Amino acid sequence: MRLLGLMVCCFGMNWFSPAYAGSDCNPNSSATAEIVKCINSSYKLVDKKLNDQYRVLVSTHQFLNKKLLLEGERAWVRYKDSNCSASRSLFLGNESGVEELGCRISLTASRLVELIYLETGTVGDGFYSSLSVIGGISSKSREEIFSYIERLEHSSDEVEYYKKNCELTEIVHGEEARSCLVRMKFQNM
C-alpha cells in the first residue's frame, strides 16, 4: 500500500497536473518541500472527490442505508488516521511527511473507489481481475489465495472498517462478506 501511495505521489504528479493549476508547487522539482506541496495538492483533490461522492450517496433517496454508511465512514476515518500516523513514525525527517501523505492519498483513493462501488455496483479496484491473473500463473486455487490474504495481519481499526463496509456492500449489492473482506485486504496490501 505504501508503495502504491508513493507511486501515486511520484509518478502521478504529471497525471494529476490539473491539481496543480491553483497550486504554487513545482511538480518537476526534486526538493522535498516542493514534493510535499504537490502531494498535498493531490491529496486535497482526491479528498474533495471523496467528499463529493459521499454527498451523492447521502443525498440519494434510493440509498436507504445511510446509518450504516455513516458508521463505515467513521470507521474508515479512524483506520486512515491511525494507519497513516503509524506510517509516518517509520521514517525520519521530511520523508515522514511524504510517507504520511502518500498513505492518505492511497487510502482516500481506495475509499473513493468503494463509495463509487456502493453507488454503481461496479467494483473498480481490480481485485477480481488480479485474482484471475494470479490463479492463471500460479498453482494456487482461489481458496488458497483467499486463505493466504485472510491470514495477513491487520489493525483493529482496519478490521472494523472492513466489517462495516462489507456489511453495507452485502446489503446493497449482495457481495459475499468473505469475498469483500479479502478484496479490501488485498487492495490495501
Side-chain angles (χ1 to χ4, degrees), residues 10-25:
C10 296
F11 302 113
M13 286 187 216
N14 292 324
W15 297 333
F16 297 118
S17 58
Y20 308 116
S23 173
D24 62 349
C25 80

Side-chain angles (χ1 to χ4, degrees), residues 43-94:
Y43 175 63
K44 286 177 182 175
L45 178 66
V46 172
D47 192 52
K48 181 185 179 321
K49 298 275 186 194
L50 175 77
N51 290 326
D52 291 347
Q53 182 61 32
Y54 184 78
R55 279 190 285 280
V56 165
L57 279 174
V58 170
S59 67
T60 303
H61 298 296
Q62 294 89 350
F63 194 83
L64 304 175
N65 300 289
K66 292 177 175 82
K67 181 178 184 269
L68 190 53
L69 176 65
L70 179 60
E71 290 172 8
E73 197 67 14
R74 287 180 178 151
W76 174 76
V77 168
R78 284 190 300 275
Y79 161 54
K80 178 187 68 164
D81 289 346
S82 67
N83 191 55
C84 294
S85 293
S87 71
R88 181 184 187 108
S89 67
L90 298 174
F91 294 86
L92 301 172
N94 293 335

